[in-house]
Amino acid sequence: MNAFIWCKTQIVCLLLLGYVGIQFIREGNQLNQLTKKIRCNRIFDSFFIVTEVTVFFDGFTACTVNYLDELPRYVNLLGHLGMFVSYEIYVMLLFWYWVSATVGIPKRKWIKAAYLLPGLATVLLTSFFIPELKILQGIYTNYSMGISVYICFGSVFVYCILTIVMILAKHRYISGKKKDGLFTTLLFIIIILLIQIMFPEALVSCIAATMVTISIYLNMENPAVHGLEHYQNEMVMGFATLVENKDDNTGGHIRRSSAYAVLIAKNLRKNRKYRALITKDYINNLEQSAPMHDIGKIGIPDVILQKPGKLTREEFEKMKEHPVIGGKIIQDTFGHLLDGEYENMAYQVALYHHEKWNGKGYPTGISGEEIPLCARIMAVADVFDAVSSKRCYRDAMPLEECFQIIINGRGTDFDSDIVDAFMLSSERIGDIIRESRNAAE
């Protein structure tokens, strides 16, 4: 019975994690049925499992240190080895999760190695020094002390420093919600770490591990929240499709142009000039914002949208109002439904996607880098799909001619960097066009 007294905190933490785990699986299955695809975040799944293992070993050692006369020393040492190593892996996976969720997993192998090296080094050092572990007698309970303990604390400290460096380096490109989550996680871990260092027999590390994991689940990985986001995205896509049909264009313009925009953004990220700006969140927001670029056409009369010939000057002036109408619709109608950064990008894409690099576009006539990057990307994607698709007043142009139109606009109509990024995916873009045309036949 006394064993349960020594590890009562860890038992409560394991029960909480078990409940959250059951909810995670149940709601995840519901989300899979809703979206018709399997949710997969292996980093968080691994992180959650490691948390449970960590808390188990924490509870196990909380008992064994108080039964030194009844248990062989190797049982205590193996229990502590499991606890220290699992805590070090937990901290490493926590850092890796936040990197993945904010700026994305780095492509360069040496950067990945640099991120993993402190965790791997501390695991090896802890294992080497575990035989020298000492068990000290406290006022309320025994506790462990030694080089392995200091190495474990050092691992937490190193990854906290790495996280702070990442925040400072990328703070302009991390969403407010994720930035709050990062700061909350750091603050909580640092407070618990200081308590554990000043009062070593407190054994409160398991509380930090449990609460941080549950917090990430509730704020970042909760399938119920993802389900709401899915409904929101479906609503936006449905509204955009309604506008597309009003334009007498049922050939999937919004899906193709959105795909082109994402391809451009991913290629731009290879350019050092844009590497810091185009984060994982940026690409996700662009993918969700792109379908709303022509949403303002809902305010344009059908006789203009569906006219099977060249527009008159007055009709074209009326058509040029749709970016302003679209921006206002997003602010007035979708503003309270969308995340702040997502809403801002959707507004910029809708308002500025007809601006030109040389300042001869509309509705504001801004030029160069005054045009938001997302709108400059959308401009290339939109024009290419417009000329490569069949419209009510003409047939689709040959694919080679469509690419040439984009190339001819480099540095005048379009940002040169974006045209270059677009052409890097010309083969994949050609496949998308051919697949779309074959499906329409």
Side-chain angles (χ1 to χ4, degrees):
M1 187 66 183
N2 287 336
F4 290 102
I5 296 176
W6 300 123
C7 62
K8 58 182 181 296
T9 303
Q10 291 82 358
I11 291 174
V12 172
C13 289
L14 282 174
L15 289 174
L16 285 172
L17 289 169
Y19 174 76
V20 170
I22 292 172
Q23 292 295 107
F24 185 41
I25 293 172
R26 183 176 66 84
E27 293 177 351
N29 290 333
Q30 293 176 352
L31 179 62
N32 294 338
Q33 294 175 1
L34 172 66
T35 60
K36 307 300 181 185
K37 62 181 180 181
I38 303 298
R39 172 211 160 273
C40 184
N41 187 335
R42 293 180 181 177
I43 297 177
F44 179 75
D45 293 345
S46 301
F47 175 67
F48 194 92
I49 292 170
V50 169
T51 303
E52 295 178 304
V53 172
T54 299
V55 175
F56 168 79
F57 275 113
D58 196 309
F60 179 79
T61 55
C63 292
T64 60
V65 293
N66 290 288
Y67 291 92
L68 298 178
D69 297 333
E70 302 174 31
L71 293 172
R73 176 172 168 76
Y74 73 85
V75 173
N76 204 7
L77 291 179
L78 287 176
H80 277 84
L81 178 62
M83 180 182 71
F84 293 143
V85 169
S86 58
Y87 266 120
E88 287 157 0
I89 294 175
Y90 168 90
V91 172
M92 183 169 59
L93 282 176
L94 175 60
F95 174 76
W96 200 247
Y97 172 82
W98 277 119
V99 169
S100 171
T102 52
V103 298
I105 299 296
K107 302 294 183 183
R108 298 183 181 182
K109 293 182 179 179
W110 70 269
I111 298 179
K112 292 181 182 179
Y115 285 167
L116 295 173
L117 187 60
L120 297 177
T122 53
V123 167
L124 292 174
L125 289 171
T126 297
S127 302
F128 181 79
F129 287 106
I130 200 71
E132 301 180 14
L133 190 72
K134 298 179 181 179
I135 306 299
L136 304 180
Q137 185 174 3
I139 299 175
Y140 304 105
T141 181
N142 294 341
Y143 59 93
S144 57
M145 192 57 66
I147 296 177
S148 293
V149 177
Y150 305 140
I151 292 172
C152 193
F153 287 154
S155 176
V156 178
F157 178 76
V158 167
Y159 277 108
C160 283
I161 294 297
L162 286 175
T163 303
I164 292 171
V165 170
M166 182 187 71
I167 294 173
L168 293 176
K170 306 289 186 179
H171 70 95
R172 290 180 297 173
Y173 313 116
I174 300 175
S175 68
K177 177 182 177 182
K178 291 180 180 179
K179 199 179 296 182
D180 291 343
L182 273 166
F183 277 120
T184 302
T185 298
L186 274 176
L187 181 62
F188 195 71
I189 288 177
I190 290 172
I191 290 174
I192 293 295
L193 180 64
L194 292 175
I195 292 174
Q196 190 67 70
I197 291 173
M198 292 186 291
F199 307 100
E201 63 178 293
L203 304 180
V204 292
S205 300
C206 62
I207 297 176
T210 301
M211 297 310 296
V212 166
T213 302
I214 292 176
S215 174
I216 290 175
Y217 164 76
L218 292 175
N219 293 296
M220 303 284 293
E221 298 295 332
N222 190 343
V225 174
H226 289 306
L228 291 175
E229 292 175 351
H230 175 76
Y231 279 124
Q232 172 186 293
N233 293 336
E234 287 295 305
M235 178 193 69
V236 170
M237 183 62 75
F239 195 72
T241 302
L242 176 66
V243 175
E244 183 182 62
N245 292 340
K246 174 181 167 66
D247 196 12
D248 197 28
N249 173 22
T250 57
H253 167 67
I254 57 174
R255 297 185 186 277
R256 289 192 304 270
S257 58
S258 298
Y260 303 153
V262 170
L263 286 173
I264 292 171
K266 288 181 177 179
N267 288 335
L268 269 182
R269 196 175 185 186
K270 300 172 186 176
N271 186 328
R272 181 173 296 181
K273 178 180 176 182
Y274 302 99
R275 191 174 297 155
L277 174 60
I278 302 180
T279 62
K280 182 178 180 180
D281 284 336
Y282 188 97
I283 293 174
N284 289 339
N285 286 336
L286 179 62
E287 185 175 17
Q288 295 172 13
S289 300
M292 292 191 281
H293 70 278
D294 272 340
I295 208 165
K297 286 185 177 180
I298 199 168
I300 305 300
D302 291 350
V303 292
I304 296 178
L305 291 174
Q306 301 174 15
K307 184 177 180 179
K310 186 176 180 180
L311 299 180
T312 65
R313 182 176 179 179
E314 291 75 16
E315 289 170 336
F316 185 60
E317 289 300 319
K318 185 67 178 177
M319 176 67 84
K320 287 165 63 175
E321 295 177 6
H322 82 268
V324 176
I325 296 172
K328 184 170 176 53
I329 287 174
I330 289 169
Q331 286 185 319
D332 295 346
T333 306
F334 293 101
H336 64 288
L337 297 175
L338 307 179
D339 173 79
E341 295 184 12
Y342 174 17
E343 177 200 348
N344 186 51
M345 183 177 289
Y347 172 78
Q348 291 177 343
V349 164
L351 181 60
Y352 299 117
H353 71 281
H354 280 294
E355 301 291 353
K356 294 184 178 181
W357 185 254
N358 59 12
K360 296 182 179 180
Y362 63 88
T364 63
I366 57 177
S367 63
E369 294 188 356
E370 292 178 312
I371 307 168
L373 178 62
C374 56
R376 303 196 316 259
I377 292 173
M378 197 67 232
V380 173
D382 185 45
V383 169
F384 180 82
D385 194 71
V387 297
S388 62
S389 303
K390 183 178 180 179
R391 294 298 174 94
C392 60
Y393 49 88
R394 61 159 173 80
D395 289 330
M397 295 182 184
L399 198 54
E400 295 75 13
E401 187 177 339
C402 298
F403 281 118
Q404 194 58 49
I405 288 173
I406 300 300
I407 293 172
N408 292 342
R410 185 180 185 276
T412 54
D413 292 343
F414 311 120
D415 183 343
S416 299
D417 290 338
I418 293 174
V419 171
D420 294 343
F422 176 80
M423 294 305 298
L424 286 175
S425 292
S426 57
E427 185 175 340
R428 174 57 190 144
I429 290 167
D431 291 339
I432 293 173
I433 289 291
R434 284 185 283 270
E435 290 167 6
S436 179
R437 289 177 180 178
N438 291 336
E441 293 178 355

